[in-house]
Amino acid sequence: MKHIRNFCIIAHIDHGKSTLADRLLEFTSTVTQRESQAQLLDNMDLERERGITIKSHAIQMNYIHEGQEYILNLIDTPGHVDFSYEVSRSIAACEGALLIVDASQGIQAQTISNLYLALEQDLIIIPVLNKMDLPGAMPEEVKDQIVDLIGGERSDIIPASGKTGLGILDILTAVIDRVPAPVGDPDAPLQALIFDSVFNSFRGIIAYFKVINGQIKKNDRVKFVATGKEYIADEVGILKLNPSPKDVVKTGDVGYIISGIKEAREVKVGHTIILRDRPAPSIQGFEEVKPMVFAGIYPVDTDEFEELREAMHKLQLNDASLVFEPESSAALGFGFRCGFLGMLHMEIIQERLEREFDMTVITTVPNVSYIAHTTKGDPFVINNPSELPDPSKLEFVEEPFIKANIITKAEFVGPVMSLCIQKRGMIMNQHYLTADRVELVFEMPMGEIVFDFYDRLKTISKGYASFDYHQIGYKQSDLVKLDIMLNGEHVDALSSLIHRSNSYDFGKRICEKLRELIPRQQFDIAIQASIGAKIIARENVKALRKDVTAKCYGGDISRKRKLLEKQKKGKKRMRQVGNVEIPQSAFMAVLKLD
């Protein structure tokens, strides 16, 4: 056991985690020249197309240091704030972390928040200064920032380059020298913590675990503590580039188990595996994830509801931060109310449903959850605007607030402040990290950053501002429910809870947008935005009309009028029976109003 090292790689987006992992794998000859490709561990098509890591990937490397062979378990983690749950789970399976900082960009918001996640778990931090080969690298300045942030000696910081392979040897030596070996009792009863799982259509569910105490052998009878179900370990092994079967996985190792589990609901991240014959208590799992953004996902074809349910369960295996429960909508039929960690997470889930499971889905307007207090004094949580009680019974509504940390260059402070104030933010603190880097701390409503805040922040700061946030609780706000009506009928999928001061402007813009997107019918369509019974905006989609007076040339006006009256009667009758199809683009357009 004393020759095992478990470590992960943490950093901000695009600071070169996956590229550095590639070099480590090549250097330790874990992959052959033929197998190697850029971002080797990113095995999803989506990850390769977008150039981002979505899932954490674990892999085992063997390395000989001073004549002794060491086993290094590496986990490459995502950098985006929406996948921070992946990072927190990876950290729980490690004893050390490589903190990678881009030498040309310095420390950014996500660097700091991932660092805090690692420090909470008492991990040993090894700072690495990456991208030293870039002409824009500022090693001395960035070293100062790192020393300010985590303390320690400047000599502890390892200069490296994932592209050229500089410093890889130093990193491996530092991991062996500085990261402690895993602690655990090899003779105790088995306790293994599941930190990830995938669905394989031939083998059933494959669970990835870290052995905390004891060992697990092939054909052992194992039990999952949380569900109480028992299985036979058909195959256990360790994670190389491809899973490699072993007879036994020992204490401190990271491995996988295949036991023919068919039901996705039976395996959850954070569950403990024990032996049936040597019972042991379950281990402290992971904290439950708190979704930040809620949206409805509905199948386009209502008959596919059950298939969508299966697809969601299989996705949840692979992405433990997805939370969902069934709901129904008058406009869209049966579907699911899903909780996501952010907008990018929502987009990725939608893409994965379409690619991996062939489901075409409609996503409704995302929102956050509110707490409504009724006149009787009962508080209850609202995830969907349609659940808001009648205004006569409503005392007040509280909405979630966040504390946002934004790090940006000094020249962009003005535009960033005006954006945050426009989103009802209040500045709490302004702190100069260096002469031209500022950290701004805001308190702002969660609901305001859900739609397009991150994109706009990147635009106004030319991509330099980095953003990280955490929830600080609920505060009372003057919120109203904005309903959208088509021909007097409510479309519940388009209704939203919004601050009274923004409601008129928002209602007007939605109506204008819908007018462009809803195709013209044989009858007039009235699009209205209302707060309660009060209509605040209206647009009309004009009817398609046939020129019925074309055959009347000359003669009395009453002949034309007779034909027009006849057409008008027909249109009126048509409006009573006609219904309006809302295209998918209309549901999504609400997000991109700016």
Side-chain angles (χ1 to χ4, degrees):
M1 236 175 80
K2 62 176 189 286
H3 299 130
I4 297 176
R5 299 286 183 273
N6 298 322
F7 69 102
C8 60
I9 301 185
I10 54 176
H12 188 76
I13 309 151
D14 272 345
H15 280 200
K17 292 178 291 299
S18 300
T19 314
L20 200 73
D22 292 350
R23 294 295 87 77
L24 289 169
L25 295 177
E26 279 169 22
F27 200 88
T28 54
S29 314
T30 308
V31 292
T32 57
Q33 281 277 297
R34 204 185 65 190
E35 291 171 322
S36 74
Q37 52 175 354
Q39 281 83 38
L40 181 78
L41 294 176
D42 292 354
N43 49 15
M44 225 185 287
D45 297 343
L46 247 163
E47 293 180 313
R48 298 201 152 276
E49 275 166 36
R50 291 179 175 234
I52 55 177
T53 305
I54 295 170
K55 287 286 301 162
S56 296
H57 302 278
I59 189 163
Q60 190 175 93
M61 309 182 289
N62 294 45
Y63 178 61
I64 295 172
H65 177 67
E66 294 173 0
Q68 173 63 51
E69 188 175 347
Y70 286 87
I71 294 173
L72 308 177
N73 290 314
L74 154 80
I75 302 183
D76 178 27
T77 64
H80 204 284
V81 62
D82 283 17
F83 306 114
S84 57
Y85 190 58
E86 285 288 324
V87 183
S88 69
R89 298 207 321 264
S90 309
I91 284 172
C94 295
E95 282 84 33
L98 294 180
L99 178 73
I100 293 183
V101 182
D102 184 330
S104 61
Q105 291 186 6
I107 284 174
Q108 311 234 304
Q110 217 40 47
T111 319
I112 296 176
S113 71
N114 286 342
L115 170 72
Y116 287 150
L117 283 175
L119 289 174
E120 276 170 24
Q121 297 277 352
D122 295 334
L123 263 60
I124 299 293
I125 308 290
I126 300 175
V128 176
L129 199 54
N130 197 17
K131 303 196 185 179
M132 288 293 285
D133 56 313
L134 287 184
M138 315 172 291
E140 295 311 312
E141 292 168 38
V142 180
K143 274 185 182 176
D144 290 340
Q145 293 177 19
I146 296 175
V147 172
D148 282 351
L149 182 67
I150 58 176
E153 299 294 319
R154 286 172 74 95
S155 56
D156 291 345
I157 301 168
I158 304 172
S161 162
K163 195 170 171 189
T164 61
L166 164 81
I168 299 299
L169 197 77
D170 301 340
I171 291 175
L172 288 167
T173 311
V175 166
I176 289 169
D177 293 344
R178 298 189 212 169
V179 176
V183 287
D185 182 356
D187 303 325
L190 168 75
Q191 285 175 305
L193 182 69
I194 297 178
F195 65 90
D196 203 359
S197 49
V198 291
F199 182 79
N200 180 319
S201 44
F202 302 108
R203 314 284 311 260
I205 286 160
I206 305 173
Y208 298 149
F209 59 81
K210 179 188 177 187
V211 183
I212 310 288
N213 290 316
Q215 56 181 20
I216 182 168
K217 296 193 195 70
K218 193 177 170 180
N219 296 332
D220 270 346
R221 290 199 78 95
V222 295
K223 180 175 173 180
F224 284 44
V225 181
T227 56
K229 299 256 171 115
E230 296 178 7
Y231 307 98
I232 291 176
D234 296 334
E235 184 182 305
V236 294
I238 54 167
L239 301 158
K240 290 275 187 173
L241 186 58
N242 298 314
S244 85
K246 287 265 189 269
D247 288 334
V248 58
V249 178
K250 298 184 173 148
T251 313
D253 259 340
V254 177
Y256 69 92
I257 177 171
I258 299 176
S259 50
I261 305 173
K262 304 280 190 298
E263 277 289 310
R265 300 172 191 78
E266 290 173 21
V267 179
K268 259 228 170 79
V269 163
H271 280 186
T272 308
I273 308 175
I274 59 170
L275 294 178
R276 189 190 67 173
D277 305 328
R278 292 184 71 188
S282 97
I283 324 166
Q284 171 66 40
F286 303 101
E287 57 183 282
E288 277 299 306
V289 56
K290 297 186 203 69
M292 298 289 186
V293 178
F294 294 88
I297 288 189
Y298 293 86
V300 171
D301 184 357
T302 40
D303 303 344
E304 292 179 344
F305 175 70
E306 279 305 319
E307 289 166 43
L308 180 63
R309 185 200 294 267
E310 272 308 297
M312 297 287 273
H313 275 298
K314 284 175 187 169
L315 246 185
Q316 197 178 30
L317 264 181
N318 200 253
D319 182 350
S321 52
L322 173 67
V323 181
F324 62 92
E325 53 185 40
E327 72 163 0
S328 64
S329 144
L332 300 170
F334 290 106
F336 292 97
R337 179 106 200 127
C338 304
F340 307 99
L341 296 182
M343 292 297 279
L344 177 70
H345 188 207
M346 173 172 133
E347 220 176 292
I348 296 289
I349 292 288
Q350 198 179 346
E351 282 255 312
R352 286 183 70 183
L353 280 171
E354 286 176 10
R355 288 186 183 205
E356 294 172 27
F357 303 99
D358 242 6
M359 301 290 311
T360 32
V361 292
I362 291 177
T363 316
T364 63
V365 184
N367 62 359
V368 295
S369 56
Y370 300 90
I371 295 179
H373 292 259
T374 56
T375 43
K376 290 179 180 171
D378 306 331
F380 63 97
V381 179
I382 297 172
N383 287 330
N384 195 337
S386 55
E387 299 168 4
L388 195 71
D390 192 61
S392 59
K393 295 177 184 156
L394 190 64
E395 186 75 30
F396 62 92
V397 180
E398 292 181 320
E399 64 175 331
F401 269 68
I402 58 159
K403 187 174 183 183
N405 294 54
I406 297 169
I407 297 179
T408 181
K409 290 210 161 171
E411 60 197 273
F412 304 121
V413 169
V416 169
M417 277 197 181
S418 61
L419 171 70
C420 293
I421 289 163
Q422 184 189 338
K423 297 280 187 188
R424 302 193 301 167
M426 282 170 62
I427 186 153
M428 308 311 279
N429 193 359
Q430 180 177 356
H431 167 58
Y432 275 80
L433 298 169
T434 60
D436 67 335
R437 288 165 64 81
V438 190
E439 181 180 24
L440 300 168
V441 181
F442 282 92
E443 277 188 12
M444 53 206 299
M446 178 83 203
E448 293 286 343
I449 66 159
V450 165
F451 291 153
D452 55 357
F453 178 78
Y454 193 65
D455 301 343
R456 285 180 62 191
L457 181 68
K458 283 287 181 205
T459 312
I460 58 176
S461 64
K462 301 185 182 165
Y464 271 112
S466 54
F467 169 67
D468 182 49
Y469 62 88
H470 57 268
Q471 272 189 307
I472 53 171
Y474 286 78
K475 293 187 183 177
Q476 185 175 340
S477 290
D478 184 13
L479 297 169
V480 290
K481 181 180 164 203
L482 184 76
D483 285 314
I484 302 294
M485 299 192 292
L486 295 182
N487 279 348
E489 296 224 349
H490 286 281
V491 183
D492 57 355
L494 285 174
S495 59
S496 53
L497 272 177
I498 190 162
H499 197 262
R500 197 181 294 273
S501 60
N502 296 346
S503 57
Y504 288 86
D505 178 42
F506 188 72
K508 189 171 187 319
R509 295 206 329 253
I510 282 193
C511 289
E512 285 167 0
K513 193 80 179 176
L514 287 175
R515 191 189 70 198
E516 296 164 19
L517 291 168
I518 290 176
R520 288 172 69 182
Q521 309 281 352
Q522 293 285 341
F523 51 90
D524 276 358
I525 304 169
I527 305 167
Q528 294 167 312
S530 71
I531 296 173
K534 183 179 176 189
I535 305 289
I536 58 168
R538 173 181 173 132
E539 294 286 336
N540 285 332
V541 179
K542 281 289 178 209
L544 293 165
R545 299 180 69 156
K546 186 174 159 192
D547 188 0
V548 287
T549 57
K551 60 187 179 189
C552 292
Y553 41 93
D556 191 7
I557 184 70
S558 59
R559 291 174 60 195
K560 285 188 178 182
R561 192 162 293 142
K562 179 182 155 193
L563 289 168
L564 287 168
E565 284 297 323
K566 188 176 168 189
Q567 185 187 34
K568 194 170 159 189
K569 249 189 205 153
K571 292 279 178 207
K572 188 177 170 188
R573 192 167 67 241
M574 202 178 250
R575 184 157 103 218
Q576 287 163 356
V577 296
N579 63 355
V580 186
E581 284 283 312
I582 307 173
Q584 159 75 25
S585 58
F587 291 110
M588 293 317 288
V590 182
L591 310 182
K592 301 190 171 70
L593 278 178
D594 292 318

